[in-house]
PDB file of all heavy atoms in Angstrom:
ATOM      1  N   ALA M1431      24.835  12.186 -23.282  1.00  0.00           N
ATOM      2  CA  ALA M1431      25.962  11.487 -22.573  1.00  0.00           C
ATOM      3  C   ALA M1431      26.706  10.424 -23.476  1.00  0.00           C
ATOM      4  O   ALA M1431      26.173   9.884 -24.409  1.00  0.00           O
ATOM      5  CB  ALA M1431      25.512  10.875 -21.264  1.00  0.00           C
ATOM      6  N   PRO M1432      27.963  10.202 -23.117  1.00  0.00           N
ATOM      7  CA  PRO M1432      28.736   9.076 -23.798  1.00  0.00           C
ATOM      8  C   PRO M1432      27.922   7.831 -23.675  1.00  0.00           C
ATOM      9  O   PRO M1432      27.432   7.398 -22.680  1.00  0.00           O
ATOM     10  CB  PRO M1432      30.042   9.045 -22.991  1.00  0.00           C
ATOM     11  CG  PRO M1432      30.180  10.460 -22.354  1.00  0.00           C
ATOM     12  CD  PRO M1432      28.842  10.886 -22.105  1.00  0.00           C
ATOM     13  N   GLY M1433      27.832   7.165 -24.876  1.00  0.00           N
ATOM     14  CA  GLY M1433      27.129   5.889 -24.932  1.00  0.00           C
ATOM     15  C   GLY M1433      25.647   6.007 -25.246  1.00  0.00           C
ATOM     16  O   GLY M1433      24.969   4.998 -25.449  1.00  0.00           O
ATOM     17  N   ALA M1434      25.071   7.165 -25.147  1.00  0.00           N
ATOM     18  CA  ALA M1434      23.636   7.371 -25.444  1.00  0.00           C
ATOM     19  C   ALA M1434      23.317   7.426 -26.897  1.00  0.00           C
ATOM     20  O   ALA M1434      22.906   8.495 -27.482  1.00  0.00           O
ATOM     21  CB  ALA M1434      23.145   8.623 -24.727  1.00  0.00           C
ATOM     22  N   GLN M1435      23.640   6.302 -27.594  1.00  0.00           N
ATOM     23  CA  GLN M1435      23.643   6.243 -29.066  1.00  0.00           C
ATOM     24  C   GLN M1435      22.187   6.255 -29.565  1.00  0.00           C
ATOM     25  O   GLN M1435      21.365   5.809 -28.716  1.00  0.00           O
ATOM     26  CB  GLN M1435      24.432   5.098 -29.541  1.00  0.00           C
ATOM     27  CG  GLN M1435      25.900   4.937 -29.181  1.00  0.00           C
ATOM     28  CD  GLN M1435      26.804   6.031 -29.770  1.00  0.00           C
ATOM     29  OE1 GLN M1435      26.211   6.841 -30.539  1.00  0.00           O
ATOM     30  NE2 GLN M1435      28.058   6.041 -29.407  1.00  0.00           N
ATOM     31  N   ARG M1436      22.031   6.654 -30.839  1.00  0.00           N
ATOM     32  CA  ARG M1436      20.727   6.727 -31.506  1.00  0.00           C
ATOM     33  C   ARG M1436      19.697   7.532 -30.838  1.00  0.00           C
ATOM     34  O   ARG M1436      18.573   7.286 -30.875  1.00  0.00           O
ATOM     35  CB  ARG M1436      20.203   5.191 -31.589  1.00  0.00           C
ATOM     36  CG  ARG M1436      21.055   4.396 -32.514  1.00  0.00           C
ATOM     37  CD  ARG M1436      20.536   2.959 -32.532  1.00  0.00           C
ATOM     38  NE  ARG M1436      20.426   2.247 -31.250  1.00  0.00           N
ATOM     39  CZ  ARG M1436      21.411   1.695 -30.665  1.00  0.00           C
ATOM     40  NH1 ARG M1436      22.630   1.770 -31.222  1.00  0.00           N
ATOM     41  NH2 ARG M1436      21.360   1.118 -29.506  1.00  0.00           N
ATOM     42  N   THR M1437      20.209   8.552 -30.037  1.00  0.00           N
ATOM     43  CA  THR M1437      19.417   9.553 -29.520  1.00  0.00           C
ATOM     44  C   THR M1437      18.789  10.375 -30.548  1.00  0.00           C
ATOM     45  O   THR M1437      19.461  10.779 -31.593  1.00  0.00           O
ATOM     46  CB  THR M1437      20.242  10.470 -28.561  1.00  0.00           C
ATOM     47  OG1 THR M1437      20.530   9.735 -27.328  1.00  0.00           O
ATOM     48  CG2 THR M1437      19.403  11.847 -28.141  1.00  0.00           C
ATOM     49  N   ASP M1438      17.582  10.756 -30.522  1.00  0.00           N
ATOM     50  CA  ASP M1438      16.804  11.596 -31.425  1.00  0.00           C
ATOM     51  C   ASP M1438      16.192  12.768 -30.586  1.00  0.00           C
ATOM     52  O   ASP M1438      15.241  12.657 -29.974  1.00  0.00           O
ATOM     53  CB  ASP M1438      15.820  10.840 -32.149  1.00  0.00           C
ATOM     54  CG  ASP M1438      15.109  11.581 -33.253  1.00  0.00           C
ATOM     55  OD1 ASP M1438      15.204  12.851 -33.296  1.00  0.00           O
ATOM     56  OD2 ASP M1438      14.205  11.042 -33.934  1.00  0.00           O
ATOM     57  N   ALA M1439      16.785  14.032 -30.730  1.00  0.00           N
ATOM     58  CA  ALA M1439      16.389  15.092 -29.916  1.00  0.00           C
ATOM     59  C   ALA M1439      16.292  16.335 -30.747  1.00  0.00           C
ATOM     60  O   ALA M1439      17.053  16.509 -31.670  1.00  0.00           O
ATOM     61  CB  ALA M1439      17.415  15.299 -28.817  1.00  0.00           C
ATOM     62  N   ALA M1440      15.339  17.286 -30.525  1.00  0.00           N
ATOM     63  CA  ALA M1440      15.068  18.453 -31.088  1.00  0.00           C
ATOM     64  C   ALA M1440      14.498  19.589 -30.143  1.00  0.00           C
ATOM     65  O   ALA M1440      13.726  19.203 -29.294  1.00  0.00           O
ATOM     66  CB  ALA M1440      14.158  18.342 -32.377  1.00  0.00           C
ATOM     67  N   LEU M1441      14.877  20.792 -30.422  1.00  0.00           N
ATOM     68  CA  LEU M1441      14.480  21.941 -29.593  1.00  0.00           C
ATOM     69  C   LEU M1441      14.269  23.119 -30.490  1.00  0.00           C
ATOM     70  O   LEU M1441      14.939  23.368 -31.332  1.00  0.00           O
ATOM     71  CB  LEU M1441      15.599  22.245 -28.586  1.00  0.00           C
ATOM     72  CG  LEU M1441      15.609  23.751 -27.978  1.00  0.00           C
ATOM     73  CD1 LEU M1441      14.406  23.853 -27.123  1.00  0.00           C
ATOM     74  CD2 LEU M1441      16.908  23.918 -27.303  1.00  0.00           C
ATOM     75  N   THR M1442      13.086  23.710 -30.460  1.00  0.00           N
ATOM     76  CA  THR M1442      12.804  24.899 -31.061  1.00  0.00           C
ATOM     77  C   THR M1442      12.117  25.977 -30.260  1.00  0.00           C
ATOM     78  O   THR M1442      11.150  25.533 -29.444  1.00  0.00           O
ATOM     79  CB  THR M1442      11.898  24.642 -32.371  1.00  0.00           C
ATOM     80  OG1 THR M1442      11.404  25.790 -33.018  1.00  0.00           O
ATOM     81  CG2 THR M1442      10.740  23.882 -32.015  1.00  0.00           C
ATOM     82  N   THR M1443      12.444  27.229 -30.191  1.00  0.00           N
ATOM     83  CA  THR M1443      11.897  28.225 -29.481  1.00  0.00           C
ATOM     84  C   THR M1443      11.619  29.407 -30.427  1.00  0.00           C
ATOM     85  O   THR M1443      12.539  29.761 -31.169  1.00  0.00           O
ATOM     86  CB  THR M1443      12.841  28.684 -28.239  1.00  0.00           C
ATOM     87  OG1 THR M1443      13.944  29.313 -28.804  1.00  0.00           O
ATOM     88  CG2 THR M1443      13.300  27.511 -27.536  1.00  0.00           C
ATOM     89  N   LYS M1444      10.506  30.054 -30.274  1.00  0.00           N
ATOM     90  CA  LYS M1444      10.208  31.156 -31.010  1.00  0.00           C
ATOM     91  C   LYS M1444       9.440  32.235 -30.079  1.00  0.00           C
ATOM     92  O   LYS M1444       8.590  31.781 -29.371  1.00  0.00           O
ATOM     93  CB  LYS M1444       9.242  31.004 -32.150  1.00  0.00           C
ATOM     94  CG  LYS M1444       9.866  29.975 -33.250  1.00  0.00           C
ATOM     95  CD  LYS M1444       8.863  29.672 -34.402  1.00  0.00           C
ATOM     96  CE  LYS M1444       9.526  28.714 -35.456  1.00  0.00           C
ATOM     97  NZ  LYS M1444       8.580  28.535 -36.628  1.00  0.00           N
ATOM     98  N   SER M1445       9.819  33.420 -30.277  1.00  0.00           N
ATOM     99  CA  SER M1445       9.271  34.469 -29.500  1.00  0.00           C
ATOM    100  C   SER M1445       8.898  35.744 -30.259  1.00  0.00           C
ATOM    101  O   SER M1445       9.625  36.097 -31.236  1.00  0.00           O
ATOM    102  CB  SER M1445      10.182  34.993 -28.295  1.00  0.00           C
ATOM    103  OG  SER M1445      10.623  33.871 -27.508  1.00  0.00           O
TER     104      SER M1445
END
Side-chain angles (χ1 to χ4, degrees):
Q1435 304 292 0
R1436 298 179 299 280
T1437 289
D1438 183 352
L1441 158 68
T1442 172
T1443 73
K1444 296 181 180 180
S1445 302

